[in-house]
Amino acid sequence: PKMFSFVAKAATHARALATRFQALWRRLPIGLQVGLEMWALWRIPLLVLLAVGFGTVPLAIGTTVPAYVDGPPWLLLWHRWDSGWYVRIMHEGYFYLAAEPGDMSRQSSIQFFPLFPALSRGLMVFGLPMAVATMVVTHVSTVLALWGLHRLTELKLGAEAARLAPIALLLFPTAIFLSAAYAEAPLIALAVWALTFFERRQVLAAATCAALAAVTRANGAVLVASLCGAALLRRDWKMLAPCVVLPGLTLGSFCLYQHLQFGDALAFLHARNAWGVWGKNPLDLLRDYALATVRGGHGLEGWLDCLAP
């Protein structure tokens, strides 16, 4: 009888909890519901698979992560390649080594923008391991990106397109980086919400998203330029001014830090020497990227290299 009583009470509590969850779920915006559902269907099975099968599959090149990246071992697999630069920034701060064009032995962390490591480091203050903190930032950003994409697509193309847009984003092959310790997820989230707020003429919100994107990745400059160009075409001066000023302040602050720390306000650009980006005449670089783009060899980020003198 005691066992039956315990099971009955547990079932009652479970039903009450399910009812409360359903009530809370119905209060969420539709776009957020879609984002959470897509994230759960796309990521949770893979995370569970990694957790169960960790150690049974041989590790590939690039899997090794620094010893100071603490957290569950199955999460460390998401800290590969350029993730190492972000966790190094979190661990020891920025460094900059002046390099001649093509000198890959003098690569510097200053080329990687500060928002992603700053957010992750901020979560570590609350006691989260480094690997967990980076994954929280990445996956929360992914959900926000899916929500924002749903909202923006619904605003421009209708409900049916809004339902398909998050699926298209997650099915794109490079969407794997929306689960890794990379800055792609925060950048996409900021970009889609900046565009959404822009279309709804929420000036301060759009400019704030653009300002944060400007210190997330170099691609943020493309977003800022696009918003400013659209505001100019619409003669929307109230939108234009904040979209110039706020990103200018955030990127300017990053440049000021570089000037004070390294004596070079554009260290993040000059550091690209060590990746073999500079060393060409700007016109030659422009020609090379134009030809490569025609052949499908470069995306938007590559064109930012043409800004280098």
Side-chain angles (χ1 to χ4, degrees):
K2 291 183 178 180
M3 179 62 69
F4 289 131
S5 176
F6 173 79
V7 172
K9 288 181 180 180
T12 301
H13 286 303
R15 285 195 297 269
L17 185 61
T19 301
R20 291 178 182 177
F21 177 79
Q22 290 175 356
L24 177 62
W25 182 262
R26 285 193 292 267
R27 293 178 184 177
L28 296 178
I30 295 298
L32 181 54
Q33 292 180 22
V34 170
L36 289 169
E37 289 170 352
M38 294 297 176
W39 173 82
L41 290 172
W42 179 62
R43 288 293 86 184
I44 289 182
L46 183 55
L47 292 173
V48 171
L49 180 63
L50 285 175
V52 173
F54 182 78
T56 62
V57 179
L59 300 181
I61 296 174
T63 302
T64 304
V65 296
Y68 52 75
V69 183
D70 57 336
W74 53 275
L75 283 183
L76 300 184
L77 291 176
W78 296 104
H79 295 72
R80 302 170 57 181
W81 311 118
D82 282 351
S83 295
W85 289 105
Y86 288 115
V87 298
R88 186 172 181 180
I89 293 166
M90 294 165 59
H91 181 67
E92 62 187 44
Y94 279 109
F95 70 91
Y96 170 54
L97 302 173
E100 295 297 323
D103 185 1
M104 298 185 68
S105 66
R106 296 180 64 83
Q107 294 180 352
S108 305
S109 62
I110 193 63
Q111 186 177 344
F112 295 85
F113 281 41
L115 185 68
F116 178 76
L119 291 175
S120 301
R121 186 67 184 176
L123 290 178
M124 291 174 62
V125 173
F126 299 98
L128 291 182
M130 184 180 288
V132 175
T134 57
M135 290 296 95
V136 169
V137 173
T138 292
H139 287 284
V140 169
S141 297
T142 298
V143 172
L144 291 175
L146 295 170
W147 179 14
L149 182 60
H150 182 277
R151 178 75 63 86
L152 178 63
T153 309
E154 185 177 39
L155 187 65
K156 302 296 290 184
L157 300 174
E160 180 61 22
R163 186 180 64 84
L164 297 175
I167 299 175
L169 174 62
L170 295 179
L171 289 179
F172 197 77
T174 53
I176 190 69
F177 291 102
L178 298 182
S179 291
Y182 273 61
E184 270 69 9
L187 179 65
I188 293 176
L190 290 167
V192 294
W193 280 107
L195 295 171
T196 300
F197 292 136
F198 182 88
E199 292 296 334
R200 298 176 63 179
R201 299 210 69 257
Q202 294 176 263
V203 176
L204 185 58
T208 299
C209 288
L212 293 174
V215 288
T216 302
R217 277 184 59 89
N219 312 61
V222 177
L223 172 66
V224 174
S226 300
L227 293 179
C228 292
L232 276 173
L233 291 174
R234 297 181 181 185
R235 299 181 182 273
D236 190 345
W237 314 122
K238 290 183 179 180
M239 179 67 75
L240 177 63
C243 286
V244 171
V245 173
L246 291 186
L249 288 175
T250 56
L251 188 56
S253 298
F254 187 41
C255 291
L256 177 61
Y257 162 79
Q258 294 171 83
H259 172 71
L260 296 175
Q261 188 75 11
F262 309 116
D264 184 355
L266 298 178
F268 73 100
L269 279 178
H270 298 150
R272 296 176 74 89
N273 274 334
W275 270 265
V277 174
W278 285 15
K280 287 187 176 182
N281 180 289
L283 293 180
D284 293 337
L285 195 63
L286 180 64
R287 179 203 61 205
D288 292 347
Y289 272 111
L291 292 175
T293 300
V294 171
R295 297 193 299 266
H298 285 293
L300 288 175
E301 185 176 7
W303 281 95
L304 295 178
D305 296 333
C306 299
L307 299 176

